[in-house]
Every structure is written in structure tokens, then in C-alpha cells.
Amino acid sequence: MNEQKSRPFRHNTDLGQNFLVDPSVLQFILEASAPGPEETILEIGAGQGVLTRQLALSGCRRLYSLEIDRRLEDDLATLEKAFSNLKVFWGDAVTFDYGSNFPDPPQKVIANIPYHITTPLIWKLLEDLAPRGLRYLLLMVQKEAADRLTSPAGTKMRYPLGVTLELMGHARRLRRVPPGAFRPAPRVDSALIEIGIDRRQDLAGDRSWRRLLKAAFGQRRKTLANNLGASFSLSREPLLSLFSDLDMDGKIRAEELDGDQWLRLAQRLTPWLPPSR
């Protein structure tokens, strides 16, 4: 017997390794994402391949699975040999070059995201893949992250990525997932969220848009006018005059704006902003 293979797998907490083991949740993911025979799917965080196998069996035209931990190479190599529609890639999901590695870009992404990279990874996927045809994401995230991503205008948890998702399509929470659905069990509840992209596919990659949102949400206790003025060295009176033209209260805060207000503000304000460095 191979002594190395007989040892139990030790999860790397630095990588956020909490493998999904609940078959009912796996089935829910398959039914919600509904892989089609003409679709290319990207799975991020293949782990030991439990979901990978089911996605490959679903009949999707092509399945890319991305994993960072090379200790899982034997498990995933076995699956790759068994399924002609599966191709495994190795790398860090936040820095991976999605553009050059995928000649056939995915239309759907399914991912069990390590909680500490949720926001940068979603930005990366939207920026790299939405302009190339990505239209749907089904993501397992920490419950608090799901609340932020789906928070509407006027709520305290609203933040830049949530605003962007609203304008690119929609984001909604599908279900809570308890810690017991994973091995090892995390200390927090998780949630599955669904993101649909059907408009403004280039928005996430717009540098001016990203700068505007970052500045606007920089200090939540301050008004939007104060945050923008401080970040871009803009005079208060012209800003307040602009807000008045847009029928916005001068004391409004960033989380209070809805998507249409953000678009109108960006259109009027972007020419005022200093060039990016």
C-alpha cells in the first residue's frame, strides 16, 4: 500500500479549504446552474473533484476546473482522464490569466469561493470574462458577503461591487448553507448567490467607474459630497450644484443611491476627475 495515499488529506486553512460534502447542496447547485450541452463551464476550487465529476457528467460541452493546491493533482488527473470534456488548470484564481488560457470562454462560473478572496475574485471574473461572454455565476460565499452583494440602495451593507452587479444584471441569494455541509466545517454560515449578467458587460473593467465608487464609499460616515471632494480635490459648491441638477440631496451618502442615480452621477462627474496615475 502507498503510505502517502493512505494518509487523510489535511485541509489548508490558509487557502480557505472547506470542501462541500452535502449531497443535497451539490444537487441544488447542479439544478440551479443547469449546465447545457452547448455551454462551457468554469469551476473554481475543484478540491477533490466531488462537484467536478457531477458537472462533467451533466453533459456540458466543456468544463474548465481551476485549483490552486497541487496536492490534489492525483484526484483531478484521474477525473481528467475519465472525462473528455474536462480540462484542469492550476493557479491562483485571483491572478489567473483567464483571457489567454481559455480559447473557448465560459458562459457560466460555478465556485466555492474562499471567503477572504470573495470581493477581488468576483471583480476579476467580471472584468476578464464578462466582455467575453460570461453571463451567469453561481457562487458559494460567506453569508455576510452574500448580504453585501445583494443589498439594495438605502441599506447599510451596500458597497461598490453590489452597485456594479445591480447595473450589470442582478444578484440574488438562493439559499443559506450551514457549516455542517462542509469538511472541515467553517465557523460561519455560507450562502449560495446567483449573479446574472445581461447588460453593461464592460462596466467592471472601467477604471473611472471603479475609482468613483472607491472614493464614494471610502468613509461611510461622511456624505458622498465630502468623500468625493476629499478624494479628487473638488470644490464643495460645484459638487453641491451638480447634486442639485441631478435631484440629489447634498447630504446623501453613497449607500443611498440606486443604480440609475449612480449612472447619471458618473456620466456628469467623470470629466471632472483627475487622470489616473
Side-chain angles (χ1 to χ4, degrees), residues 125-175:
L125 293 171
L126 294 177
E127 184 174 356
D128 287 4
L129 293 176
R132 304 185 69 209
L134 178 63
R135 295 296 176 262
Y136 179 89
L137 301 91
L138 184 63
L139 309 176
M140 182 80 73
V141 299
Q142 186 175 344
K143 178 183 174 296
E144 286 73 12
D147 292 340
R148 289 196 304 273
L149 290 164
T150 58
S151 289
T155 55
K156 293 293 185 181
M157 298 191 78
R158 187 150 165 97
Y159 82 132
L161 182 52
V163 174
T164 304
L165 291 175
E166 174 189 330
L167 289 169
M168 294 181 71
H170 74 269
R172 64 188 183 103
R173 198 171 98 175
L174 297 182
R175 61 170 287 180

Side-chain angles (χ1 to χ4, degrees), residues 198-213:
D198 57 17
R199 55 188 182 273
R200 300 186 184 89
Q201 288 84 2
D202 295 322
L203 185 61
D206 186 325
R207 298 295 98 185
S208 294
W209 172 256
R210 298 275 291 271
R211 289 173 65 217
L212 174 61
L213 289 179

